[in-house]
Amino acid sequence: MARRSRHRLLLLLLRYLVVALGYHKAYGFSAPKDHQVVTAIEYQEVILACKYPKKTISSRLEWKKLGRSVSLVYYQQALQGDFKDRAEMIDFSIRIKNVTRTDAGKYRCEVSAPSEQGQNLEEDTVTLEVLVAPAVPSCEVPNSALSGTVVELRCQDKEGNPAPEYTWFKDGVPLSENPKLGSQSTNSSYTMNTKSGTLQFNTVSKLDSGEYSCEARNSVGHRMCPGKRMQVDDLNISGIIAAAVVVALVISVCGLGVCYAQRKGYFSKETSFQKSSSASKATTMSENDFKHTKSFII
């Protein structure tokens, strides 16, 4: 019984495979080809190739750009959108004459043609990667700094693809990533991150005064920001002490002046004068009230 049940299962599996293969041939479905990745430099030309054996009169071709929403690139024997003015068809392939960064993405060509088994459908997928040179990086350099403090310079580019690496220059000379290998005229306490573009001085000194610029570079190109000067000065301790002494002297002189005025009675005279003036005002008011009352009685 067990052997018979096994034979039945095998027969059922064989029948299922035969039916599936027949369905595949009848409707002409084909397995996707190897995924292509095409790289191009911005503003140059690129060809998106559709690997189909040969073009026939009855073949129907469509190109689509995939993403959150599918957009038609080639449909009903005509290029669509802005590809009309900057692309052309070469058999089943698209030649883009002036590729831009917005063209990057995944594309799919679909070729359908009649066959003996029915309508045959072939698909091929191409990923376009657009390389972009860096723009002029944004550089942040402080105008002044105090010796012994922590100072950080920043450099950043947001357009380059692949992401650029950064190099800082002082007075036109590139700074070494390892400060110990740099020139003797530069403080060796800095840290330069070529990936993030930061240049940090742990304890900045007067040797670090100079003009700083930064270069962003990738495999496509490189750009540099204009130089900016940073002036590092020592903390003027003697000046601070002198200022503190002057402030103390001013406070002492003011205090002595107040004491002298009190001894001479300037403050008491002013108070007695205020009292006499207020008393005279009160007398005048009472006389006026008396006159007003008298006139009222009469």
Side-chain angles (χ1 to χ4, degrees), residues 6-75:
R6 288 177 183 175
H7 285 300
R8 288 178 181 176
L9 287 172
L10 288 173
L11 289 171
L12 288 172
L13 288 173
L14 288 172
R15 287 178 182 176
Y16 176 77
L17 289 172
V18 169
V19 172
L21 289 172
Y23 181 82
H24 183 276
K25 289 181 179 179
Y27 288 91
F29 293 112
S30 61
K33 301 179 183 296
D34 294 336
H35 186 76
Q36 302 179 62
V37 178
V38 180
T39 303
I41 298 175
E42 190 175 31
Y43 307 125
Q44 296 187 7
E45 72 172 43
V46 66
I47 294 178
L48 305 181
C50 184
K51 296 180 179 179
Y52 189 74
K54 62 178 180 178
K55 187 176 182 180
T56 61
I57 298 174
S58 58
S59 299
R60 179 182 175 183
L61 171 67
E62 290 184 6
W63 272 93
K64 299 175 181 177
K65 186 177 181 182
L66 309 179
R68 292 183 179 179
S69 61
V70 178
S71 58
L72 293 171
V73 178
Y74 182 82
Y75 180 68

Side-chain angles (χ1 to χ4, degrees), residues 147-188:
S147 178
T149 59
V150 178
V151 178
E152 184 176 78
L153 284 63
R154 299 182 182 90
C155 179
Q156 189 177 22
D157 165 72
K158 296 182 179 179
E159 297 188 19
N161 182 38
E165 292 191 351
Y166 302 94
T167 303
W168 278 96
F169 291 75
K170 178 191 174 187
D171 298 328
V173 179
L175 294 176
S176 174
E177 192 172 354
N178 185 354
K180 294 182 180 179
L181 301 177
S183 61
Q184 295 180 354
S185 61
T186 305
N187 183 6
S188 62

Side-chain angles (χ1 to χ4, degrees), residues 147-291:
S147 178
T149 59
V150 178
V151 178
E152 184 176 78
L153 284 63
R154 299 182 182 90
C155 179
Q156 189 177 22
D157 165 72
K158 296 182 179 179
E159 297 188 19
N161 182 38
E165 292 191 351
Y166 302 94
T167 303
W168 278 96
F169 291 75
K170 178 191 174 187
D171 298 328
V173 179
L175 294 176
S176 174
E177 192 172 354
N178 185 354
K180 294 182 180 179
L181 301 177
S183 61
Q184 295 180 354
S185 61
T186 305
N187 183 6
S188 62
S189 70
Y190 69 82
T191 303
M192 183 168 61
N193 191 325
T194 58
K195 301 296 182 183
S196 64
T198 58
L199 175 64
Q200 180 173 304
F201 294 93
N202 298 322
T203 52
V204 71
S205 70
K206 294 187 73 175
L207 290 174
D208 299 319
S209 296
E211 186 178 84
Y212 287 85
S213 57
C214 173
E215 180 190 67
R217 177 185 294 269
N218 63 7
S219 58
V220 185
H222 58 91
R223 298 293 295 273
M224 180 178 289
C225 69
K228 297 180 181 180
R229 180 166 182 80
M230 180 178 71
Q231 181 65 39
V232 181
D233 296 316
D234 290 332
L235 189 64
N236 192 351
I237 298 176
S238 59
I240 294 173
I241 294 173
V245 169
V246 169
V247 171
L249 287 174
V250 170
I251 293 172
S252 300
V253 170
C254 292
L256 291 173
V258 171
C259 294
Y260 179 78
Q262 285 181 345
R263 288 182 179 180
K264 291 293 183 178
Y266 292 125
F267 293 115
S268 60
K269 289 181 180 179
E270 183 180 355
T271 305
S272 60
F273 175 76
Q274 290 177 352
K275 287 181 179 179
S276 61
S277 61
S278 59
S280 61
K281 287 181 181 180
T283 305
T284 306
M285 289 176 64
S286 60
E287 290 177 354
N288 291 333
D289 292 340
F290 176 75
K291 290 178 181 179

Side-chain angles (χ1 to χ4, degrees), residues 35 64-67 103-108 125-128:
H35 186 76
K64 299 175 181 177
K65 186 177 181 182
L66 309 179
D103 297 328
K106 185 179 289 186
Y107 295 79
R108 184 176 67 208
T125 306
V126 183
T127 296
L128 174 61

